[in-house]
Amino acid sequence: MSVTEDSAAKDKKGPLFLIDGNNVAYRAFYALPEEISTSGGFPTNALYGFCLMIIKILSEYQPSAVIVAWDSPEKTFRHEEFEEYKAQRKPMPEPLSEQWPYFAELCDAFGFVNLAVPGYEADDILATLARQAEAEGRETIIVTGDRDALQLVGRFVKVMANTKGMTEVKVYDAQAVEERFGVPPRLIPDLIGLKGDVSDNIPGIPGIGEKTAAELISRYGSLEAVLEHADEVSGAKRRELLKEYRESALLSKRLASLDRDVPVDIKTAELLPHQVKREKLQDLFSRLEFRTLFERIDALLAGSPAETTPSGEAIWYEEVEVQGVQDLSDLVDWRGTVALAVEESEGGGVSAYWLAQMQTAAPLEDYNAYRVFRIKESQAASQALGNLVAGARVVCHNFKALRALHGWVRQAGHDTYLAGYLLSPGRKEYRLEELAGEVGVKVPGGVRGRGGRVTPPAAPPVATSAALVLAVAHHQERLLREQGMWDLFCQVELPLTRVLIAMEAAGIRLDCYRLGELAGKIQDQLDELEERIYELAGQRFNLGSPQQLGRILFDVLKLPRQRKTKTGYSTDARTLEALRGCHPIIEQILSHRELSKLMSTYLVALPRAVDPETGRLHTTFHQAATATGRLSSSDPNLQNIPVRTELGAQIRQCFVADPGYLLLVADYSQIELRVMAYLAKEETLLEAFARGEDIHARTAAEVFGLDESEVDSLHRRHAKAVNFGIMYGISAYGLSQTLGIEREQAAAYIERYFERLPRVKGFIEKTIKEAEQQGYVSTIFGRRRYIPELKSGNYQERSLGERLAVNSVIQGSAADIIKVAMVRCYERLEAEAPDARLVLQVHDELVFEVPESQVPFVKEMVKREMVGAFPMDPPLGVDVGVGPDWLTAK
């Protein structure tokens, strides 16, 4: 795009867009998984996310011109005034640094203006350009996630910020700013002056939060006025803070105030409409392997969205009144594939169902190929839908969360949420629109209702979702097949969802009385620890205050000072661990913290989480939360209850069976070690497992050159640490810290281990080499995990990648085996012992609640199904116990 005096350029249609390049690039990097890369391993996730945002802007807003502002490397006036400005920020991650040179080239290819001014931040450049645009009455949208920019919002200027991912945004006008922050845009610097800004290391006033800051500024009109009236503010502590940190607040406001007079050589009134440089963009996208994205750009270049909406980018949909089953059967071929989405009412119930089906005569990516029906919730509609989907292949997004469908659909035929997880594990979210963008499926620009009427700009969100699911599912199936994960998806992940639904519904009973007694005992211990700490400190203080604790440790007791923060010296866990042995108070504080955490996390929180109707805890299992494939749980999290501590054991004793039932706990015996031995084909370990030997004692004999009869508890403990450490890529230093021995001794242990078990070393080296070549590792079931850290030039990051590569194969394979076991056990119970139920999964163990009369059958069946989850020679080991509570059964 060029800058000219041409008067014709003043005839603009769309808004001027001003983009904070650094902010959007960083957000894209952290929003999308690092696994996104070229076939040669070059990382492209940030560039891909940046492109998704640009495509959204071009397709939905048709901007008249776009300027992208970039930070300059030189220090700014803010650094001169406050040396610690942004000092806490880490260096740019290497995968982002590798992509950085392409951003300016990318923007230029799109026809945008790149702009950087030495000694100024992108925010200041945007502020200067926004001032120009506001003065000329030109509609302007600033794209940034930086809160400082909200001070620029005016009559003609708005700010667009990402809310989730890269394609869901919120546009702030003056009213939205005031609703969200409690002050008008012009007072945002005053707000930051009081509360500070952690992201920029702007101090503000300690103890003043956003709500308090907004109330004070609204009452007095500005930061300066608040400080002038400090004596009138309620609360002695607050008054003291306002006076003590007055200069800090004024400094913070200056740091947060954007400079609107940056010497830029651009006048917004003279900008010509941007022109995409198609050949340059095609070449760049080809190098970055953004093939589907270029197809979307090409479609945009063919004509404006306003022109294409009526002819090819609209969803055909209509509302259907359902009186009986035949009403839907006449519309939909129930033998085919249908998509189902749920529209929620304001009260949280279901107001309507959206049903979509493809018209196979048209291309799949064309939204005219979909018929979408809105079916209002009613008894007749529920019956009709239930009958229809009973014979159909139903696809949806996140089936487990669509509780309204569980009564009709036993198992989704395709779940775009889970497929997205398999194809790109480790990301935080799997939003349907983003998944669609990543496989090249376009979001419709308009709606065709009855009679062909077009209602711009977009279909109702749920209608769009229903159609998107079909198109995304098609592409995901192709990718899953190409990557060898189709069987894993169909035979493990999809059926596992219905198992988790049943487990969440069943829940587990908690003996709240017993837990309350335990809480009382722990509170007594906490009180005793607290008194001991006060005695050692020589005074009473607020043990929960890091500042007061820091004063006691470093000013009163004169312990060696550690890391400093803006509020004082750190007293976090790492600091206290470093101070062990310096003073008896440290051990007491660590014990107090450990008990306090268990108290709040379990002893207090668990009874509150019990459902009053069922009297049971109903945790939520997360199937798409970890990069290795392991399950996690929350609300409450029942997977982190300590296993090896006395208190952890007492907590487990409070999980009990219903009257007439017993808990049955089936635990895989050393499954990860068995998987490693199997994959490495290490005969020494395999033989030990086959003979049922104590594997840690056998390893101790090998490593220390002893007869097994000579192995004592210390030898075994050291061997156990080596066994598990090898799987997690432990270093000699790490092992020395774990065992409390010298580094040289730990290195000798590892060396002897590999000498005696050479195939384990060979397996590790082969796994790392394949991960370097492919960019990913696979479990025995084909689950992939991408390891971008292996491409790093940073030694520590690369070492992490090597550890992740080996551990992901072992731990991921174990996770897959357990999932298969869950599905097998659930299906057998459903068919042969429906009164028994699977209620918990905690890493390597499964917990069942079984009628007492059925325990012998279920015990034998569970062991058989778990052993058979993966045929291994020697077979997998499973320990099964039974009892009235979790501890006894374990």
Side-chain angles (χ1 to χ4, degrees), residues 56-112:
K56 180 179 182 69
I57 291 170
L58 295 180
S59 62
E60 296 185 14
Y61 293 89
Q62 301 90 56
S64 58
V66 182
I67 301 175
V68 185
W70 300 94
D71 291 342
S72 69
E74 296 85 2
K75 288 190 174 183
T76 70
F77 68 91
R78 296 183 179 88
H79 295 95
E80 293 174 5
E81 188 161 4
F82 183 54
E83 189 176 345
E84 295 184 20
Y85 178 67
K86 293 188 177 181
Q88 88 290 0
R89 292 196 177 179
K90 297 178 181 178
M92 182 184 292
E94 187 168 340
L96 178 57
S97 179
E98 291 181 58
Q99 300 173 66
W100 201 257
Y102 285 90
F103 283 103
E105 185 180 354
L106 182 70
C107 292
D108 181 66
F110 272 108
F112 304 162

Coordinates of all heavy atoms in Angstrom, one line a residue, residues 56-112:
K56 N -9.8 -12.7 9.2 CA -11.0 -12.2 9.8 C -11.3 -10.8 9.5 O -12.4 -10.4 9.2 CB -10.9 -12.5 11.3 CG -12.2 -12.1 12.1 CD -12.0 -12.4 13.6 CE -13.3 -12.0 14.3 NZ -14.4 -12.9 14.0
I57 N -10.2 -10.0 9.7 CA -10.4 -8.5 9.4 C -10.8 -8.2 8.0 O -11.7 -7.5 7.7 CB -9.1 -7.8 9.8 CG1 -8.8 -7.8 11.3 CG2 -9.1 -6.4 9.3 CD1 -7.4 -7.4 11.7
L58 N -10.1 -8.9 7.0 CA -10.4 -8.6 5.6 C -11.8 -9.1 5.2 O -12.5 -8.4 4.5 CB -9.3 -9.3 4.8 CG -7.9 -8.9 4.9 CD1 -7.0 -9.7 3.9 CD2 -7.8 -7.4 4.5
S59 N -12.2 -10.3 5.7 CA -13.5 -10.8 5.3 C -14.7 -10.2 6.0 O -15.7 -10.0 5.4 CB -13.5 -12.3 5.6 OG -13.4 -12.6 7.0
E60 N -14.5 -9.8 7.3 CA -15.7 -9.3 8.0 C -15.7 -7.7 8.0 O -16.8 -7.2 8.3 CB -15.6 -9.8 9.4 CG -15.8 -11.3 9.5 CD -15.8 -11.8 10.9 OE1 -16.1 -11.0 11.9 OE2 -15.7 -13.0 11.1
Y61 N -14.6 -7.0 7.8 CA -14.6 -5.6 7.9 C -14.3 -4.8 6.7 O -14.5 -3.6 6.6 CB -13.7 -5.1 9.1 CG -14.2 -5.6 10.4 CD1 -13.8 -6.8 10.9 CD2 -15.0 -4.8 11.2 CE1 -14.2 -7.3 12.2 CE2 -15.4 -5.2 12.5 CZ -15.0 -6.5 12.9 OH -15.5 -6.9 14.2
Q62 N -13.7 -5.5 5.7 CA -13.3 -4.9 4.4 C -12.6 -3.5 4.7 O -13.1 -2.5 4.3 CB -14.4 -4.7 3.5 CG -15.2 -6.0 3.1 CD -16.3 -6.3 4.1 OE1 -17.2 -5.5 4.2 NE2 -16.3 -7.5 4.6
P63 N -11.4 -3.5 5.4 CA -10.8 -2.2 5.8 C -10.4 -1.4 4.5 O -10.0 -2.0 3.5 CB -9.6 -2.7 6.6 CG -9.3 -4.1 6.1 CD -10.6 -4.7 5.8
S64 N -10.4 -0.1 4.7 CA -10.0 0.8 3.6 C -8.4 0.8 3.6 O -7.8 0.9 2.5 CB -10.5 2.2 3.9 OG -10.1 2.7 5.1
A65 N -7.8 0.7 4.7 CA -6.3 0.7 4.8 C -5.9 0.1 6.1 O -6.7 0.0 7.1 CB -5.8 2.1 4.7
V66 N -4.7 -0.5 6.2 CA -4.2 -1.1 7.4 C -2.8 -0.7 7.6 O -1.9 -0.7 6.7 CB -4.3 -2.7 7.2 CG1 -3.8 -3.3 8.5 CG2 -5.7 -3.2 6.9
I67 N -2.5 -0.3 8.8 CA -1.1 0.0 9.3 C -0.8 -0.9 10.4 O -1.6 -1.1 11.4 CB -1.0 1.5 9.7 CG1 -1.4 2.4 8.6 CG2 0.4 1.8 10.2 CD1 -1.4 3.9 9.0
V68 N 0.4 -1.5 10.3 CA 0.9 -2.4 11.4 C 2.1 -1.7 12.1 O 3.1 -1.4 11.5 CB 1.3 -3.8 10.9 CG1 1.7 -4.7 12.0 CG2 0.2 -4.4 10.0
A69 N 1.9 -1.4 13.4 CA 3.0 -0.7 14.1 C 3.8 -1.8 14.9 O 3.2 -2.8 15.4 CB 2.3 0.3 15.1
W70 N 5.1 -1.5 15.0 CA 6.0 -2.4 15.6 C 6.8 -1.7 16.6 O 7.2 -0.5 16.5 CB 6.9 -3.1 14.6 CG 6.2 -3.9 13.5 CD1 5.9 -3.4 12.3 CD2 5.8 -5.2 13.6 NE1 5.2 -4.4 11.6 CE2 5.1 -5.5 12.4 CE3 5.8 -6.2 14.6 CZ2 4.5 -6.7 12.1 CZ3 5.2 -7.4 14.3 CH2 4.6 -7.7 13.1
D71 N 7.1 -2.4 17.8 CA 8.1 -1.8 18.8 C 9.4 -1.7 18.1 O 9.9 -2.5 17.3 CB 8.2 -2.7 20.0 CG 6.9 -2.8 20.8 OD1 6.0 -1.9 20.6 OD2 6.7 -3.7 21.6
S72 N 10.2 -0.6 18.6 CA 11.6 -0.5 18.1 C 12.4 -1.1 19.2 O 12.1 -1.1 20.4 CB 11.9 1.0 17.9 OG 11.9 1.7 19.1
P73 N 13.6 -1.6 18.8 CA 14.5 -2.3 19.8 C 15.1 -1.3 20.8 O 15.5 -1.7 21.9 CB 15.6 -2.9 19.0 CG 15.6 -2.1 17.7 CD 14.2 -1.7 17.5
E74 N 15.1 0.0 20.5 CA 15.8 1.0 21.4 C 14.9 1.2 22.7 O 13.7 1.0 22.6 CB 15.9 2.3 20.7 CG 16.9 2.3 19.5 CD 16.2 1.9 18.3 OE1 15.0 1.7 18.3 OE2 16.9 1.8 17.2
K75 N 15.5 1.6 23.8 CA 14.8 1.9 25.0 C 13.9 3.2 24.7 O 14.3 4.0 24.0 CB 15.7 2.1 26.1 CG 16.3 0.8 26.6 CD 17.1 1.0 28.0 CE 17.6 -0.3 28.5 NZ 18.3 -0.2 29.8
T76 N 12.8 3.2 25.4 CA 11.9 4.4 25.3 C 12.0 5.3 26.5 O 12.8 5.1 27.4 CB 10.5 3.9 25.2 OG1 10.1 3.4 26.4 CG2 10.3 2.8 24.1
F77 N 11.3 6.4 26.4 CA 11.3 7.4 27.5 C 10.8 6.7 28.8 O 11.1 7.1 29.9 CB 10.4 8.6 27.2 CG 8.9 8.3 27.1 CD1 8.1 8.4 28.2 CD2 8.3 7.8 25.9 CE1 6.7 8.1 28.1 CE2 7.0 7.6 25.8 CZ 6.2 7.7 26.9
R78 N 10.0 5.6 28.7 CA 9.5 4.9 29.9 C 10.6 4.2 30.6 O 10.7 4.2 31.8 CB 8.4 4.0 29.5 CG 7.1 4.6 28.9 CD 6.0 3.6 28.6 NE 4.9 4.3 28.1 CZ 4.6 4.6 26.8 NH1 5.6 4.2 25.9 NH2 3.6 5.2 26.4
H79 N 11.5 3.6 29.8 CA 12.7 3.0 30.5 C 13.6 4.0 31.2 O 14.2 3.7 32.2 CB 13.5 2.2 29.4 CG 12.8 1.1 28.8 ND1 12.1 1.2 27.6 CD2 12.6 -0.2 29.2 CE1 11.6 0.0 27.3 NE2 11.9 -0.9 28.3
E80 N 13.7 5.2 30.6 CA 14.5 6.2 31.2 C 13.9 6.7 32.5 O 14.6 7.0 33.4 CB 14.7 7.4 30.2 CG 15.5 7.1 28.9 CD 15.5 8.2 27.9 OE1 14.9 9.2 28.2 OE2 16.0 8.0 26.8
E81 N 12.6 6.8 32.5 CA 11.9 7.3 33.7 C 11.8 6.2 34.8 O 11.8 6.5 36.0 CB 10.5 7.8 33.4 CG 9.9 8.5 34.5 CD 8.8 9.4 34.1 OE1 8.4 9.5 32.9 OE2 8.2 10.1 35.0
F82 N 11.7 4.9 34.3 CA 11.5 3.8 35.3 C 12.3 2.6 34.8 O 11.9 1.9 33.8 CB 10.0 3.5 35.4 CG 9.7 2.4 36.4 CD1 10.1 2.5 37.7 CD2 9.0 1.3 36.0 CE1 9.8 1.5 38.6 CE2 8.7 0.3 36.9 CZ 9.1 0.4 38.2
E83 N 13.4 2.4 35.4 CA 14.4 1.4 34.8 C 13.8 0.0 34.8 O 14.1 -0.8 33.9 CB 15.6 1.4 35.7 CG 16.8 0.5 35.1 CD 18.0 0.6 36.0 OE1 18.1 1.6 36.8 OE2 18.9 -0.2 35.8
E84 N 12.8 -0.3 35.7 CA 12.3 -1.7 35.8 C 11.1 -1.8 34.9 O 10.4 -2.9 34.9 CB 11.9 -2.0 37.2 CG 13.1 -2.1 38.1 CD 12.7 -2.5 39.5 OE1 11.7 -3.1 39.7 OE2 13.5 -2.2 40.4
Y85 N 10.8 -0.9 34.0 CA 9.6 -1.0 33.1 C 9.8 -2.2 32.2 O 10.8 -2.4 31.5 CB 9.5 0.3 32.2 CG 8.4 0.2 31.2 CD1 7.1 0.2 31.6 CD2 8.7 0.2 29.8 CE1 6.1 0.2 30.6 CE2 7.7 0.2 28.9 CZ 6.4 0.2 29.3 OH 5.4 0.2 28.4
K86 N 8.9 -3.1 32.3 CA 8.9 -4.4 31.5 C 10.1 -5.2 31.8 O 10.4 -6.2 31.0 CB 8.8 -4.1 30.0 CG 7.4 -3.5 29.5 CD 7.3 -3.5 28.0 CE 5.9 -2.9 27.6 NZ 5.8 -2.9 26.1
A87 N 10.8 -5.0 32.9 CA 12.0 -5.7 33.2 C 11.7 -7.2 33.5 O 12.6 -8.0 33.4 CB 12.7 -5.1 34.4
Q88 N 10.5 -7.5 33.9 CA 10.2 -8.9 34.3 C 10.0 -9.8 33.1 O 9.9 -11.0 33.2 CB 9.0 -9.0 35.2 CG 7.6 -9.1 34.5 CD 7.2 -7.8 33.7 OE1 8.0 -6.8 33.7 NE2 6.1 -7.8 33.1
R89 N 9.9 -9.2 31.9 CA 9.5 -10.0 30.7 C 10.7 -10.9 30.3 O 11.8 -10.4 30.2 CB 9.1 -9.1 29.6 CG 7.7 -8.4 29.8 CD 7.1 -7.8 28.6 NE 5.8 -7.3 28.9 CZ 5.1 -6.7 28.0 NH1 5.5 -6.6 26.7 NH2 3.9 -6.2 28.3
K90 N 10.4 -12.1 29.9 CA 11.4 -13.0 29.5 C 11.8 -12.7 28.0 O 11.0 -12.1 27.3 CB 10.9 -14.5 29.6 CG 10.6 -14.9 31.0 CD 10.0 -16.3 31.0 CE 9.7 -16.7 32.4 NZ 9.1 -18.1 32.4
P91 N 13.0 -13.1 27.6 CA 13.4 -12.9 26.2 C 12.4 -13.6 25.3 O 11.7 -14.6 25.7 CB 14.7 -13.6 26.1 CG 15.2 -13.7 27.5 CD 14.0 -13.8 28.4
M92 N 12.3 -13.2 24.0 CA 11.4 -13.8 23.1 C 11.7 -15.3 22.9 O 12.8 -15.7 22.8 CB 11.6 -13.1 21.7 CG 10.6 -13.6 20.6 SD 10.9 -12.9 19.0 CE 10.4 -11.2 19.4
P93 N 10.7 -16.2 23.0 CA 10.9 -17.6 22.8 C 11.5 -17.9 21.5 O 11.2 -17.2 20.5 CB 9.5 -18.2 22.9 CG 8.7 -17.2 23.6 CD 9.2 -15.9 23.3
E94 N 12.5 -18.8 21.5 CA 13.2 -19.1 20.2 C 12.3 -19.4 19.0 O 12.5 -18.9 17.9 CB 14.2 -20.2 20.5 CG 15.2 -20.3 19.3 CD 16.4 -21.2 19.6 OE1 16.7 -21.4 20.7 OE2 17.0 -21.7 18.6
P95 N 11.3 -20.3 19.2 CA 10.4 -20.6 18.1 C 9.7 -19.4 17.5 O 9.5 -19.3 16.3 CB 9.4 -21.6 18.6 CG 10.0 -22.2 19.8 CD 10.9 -21.1 20.4
L96 N 9.4 -18.4 18.4 CA 8.8 -17.1 17.9 C 9.9 -16.3 17.2 O 9.7 -15.6 16.2 CB 8.2 -16.4 19.0 CG 7.6 -15.0 18.6 CD1 6.5 -15.1 17.5 CD2 6.9 -14.3 19.9
S97 N 11.1 -16.3 17.8 CA 12.2 -15.5 17.2 C 12.5 -16.0 15.8 O 12.8 -15.2 14.9 CB 13.4 -15.7 18.1 OG 14.5 -15.0 17.5
E98 N 12.4 -17.3 15.6 CA 12.7 -17.8 14.2 C 11.7 -17.3 13.2 O 12.0 -17.1 12.0 CB 12.7 -19.3 14.2 CG 13.8 -20.0 15.0 CD 13.7 -21.5 15.0 OE1 13.7 -22.1 13.9 OE2 13.6 -22.1 16.1
Q99 N 10.4 -17.1 13.7 CA 9.4 -16.7 12.8 C 9.3 -15.1 12.6 O 8.8 -14.7 11.6 CB 8.0 -17.1 13.3 CG 7.8 -18.6 13.5 CD 6.5 -19.0 14.2 OE1 5.4 -18.7 13.7 NE2 6.7 -19.5 15.4
W100 N 10.0 -14.4 13.5 CA 9.8 -13.0 13.5 C 10.1 -12.3 12.2 O 9.4 -11.3 11.8 CB 10.7 -12.4 14.6 CG 10.2 -11.0 15.1 CD1 10.8 -9.8 14.8 CD2 9.1 -10.8 15.9 NE1 10.0 -8.8 15.3 CE2 9.0 -9.4 16.0 CE3 8.1 -11.6 16.5 CZ2 8.0 -8.7 16.7 CZ3 7.1 -10.9 17.2 CH2 7.0 -9.5 17.3
P101 N 11.2 -12.6 11.5 CA 11.5 -11.9 10.2 C 10.4 -11.9 9.2 O 10.3 -11.1 8.3 CB 12.8 -12.6 9.7 CG 13.4 -13.2 10.9 CD 12.2 -13.6 11.8
Y102 N 9.5 -12.9 9.3 CA 8.5 -13.1 8.3 C 7.3 -12.2 8.5 O 6.5 -12.0 7.6 CB 8.0 -14.6 8.3 CG 9.0 -15.5 7.6 CD1 9.9 -16.2 8.4 CD2 8.9 -15.8 6.3 CE1 10.8 -17.1 7.8 CE2 9.8 -16.7 5.7 CZ 10.7 -17.3 6.5 OH 11.6 -18.2 5.9
F103 N 7.1 -11.6 9.7 CA 5.9 -10.9 10.0 C 5.8 -9.6 9.1 O 4.8 -9.3 8.5 CB 5.8 -10.5 11.5 CG 5.4 -11.6 12.3 CD1 6.3 -12.3 13.1 CD2 4.1 -12.0 12.4 CE1 5.9 -13.4 13.9 CE2 3.7 -13.1 13.2 CZ 4.6 -13.8 13.9
A104 N 6.9 -8.9 9.0 CA 6.9 -7.6 8.2 C 6.7 -8.0 6.7 O 5.9 -7.3 6.0 CB 8.2 -6.9 8.4
E105 N 7.3 -9.1 6.3 CA 7.2 -9.5 4.9 C 5.7 -9.9 4.6 O 5.1 -9.6 3.6 CB 8.1 -10.7 4.6 CG 8.1 -11.2 3.2 CD 9.0 -12.3 3.0 OE1 9.8 -12.7 3.9 OE2 9.0 -12.9 1.9
L106 N 5.1 -10.6 5.6 CA 3.7 -11.0 5.5 C 2.8 -9.8 5.4 O 1.9 -9.8 4.5 CB 3.3 -11.8 6.7 CG 1.9 -12.4 6.8 CD1 1.8 -13.5 5.7 CD2 1.7 -13.0 8.2
C107 N 3.0 -8.8 6.2 CA 2.1 -7.6 6.2 C 2.3 -6.9 4.9 O 1.3 -6.4 4.3 CB 2.5 -6.7 7.4 SG 2.0 -7.4 9.0
D108 N 3.5 -6.8 4.4 CA 3.8 -6.1 3.1 C 3.1 -6.9 2.0 O 2.5 -6.2 1.1 CB 5.3 -6.1 2.9 CG 5.6 -5.4 1.6 OD1 5.3 -4.1 1.5 OD2 6.1 -6.0 0.6
A109 N 3.1 -8.2 2.0 CA 2.4 -9.0 1.0 C 0.9 -8.7 1.0 O 0.3 -8.8 -0.1 CB 2.7 -10.4 1.1
F110 N 0.4 -8.5 2.2 CA -1.1 -8.2 2.3 C -1.4 -6.7 1.8 O -2.5 -6.4 1.7 CB -1.6 -8.4 3.7 CG -2.0 -9.8 4.0 CD1 -1.3 -10.6 4.8 CD2 -3.2 -10.3 3.4 CE1 -1.7 -11.9 5.0 CE2 -3.6 -11.6 3.7 CZ -2.9 -12.4 4.5
G111 N -0.3 -6.0 1.6 CA -0.5 -4.6 1.2 C -0.7 -3.6 2.3 O -1.1 -2.5 2.1
F112 N -0.2 -4.0 3.5 CA -0.3 -3.2 4.7 C 1.0 -2.3 4.8 O 2.0 -2.6 4.2 CB -0.4 -4.0 6.0 CG -1.6 -4.9 6.0 CD1 -1.7 -6.0 6.9 CD2 -2.7 -4.8 5.1 CE1 -2.7 -6.9 6.9 CE2 -3.8 -5.7 5.1 CZ -3.8 -6.7 6.0

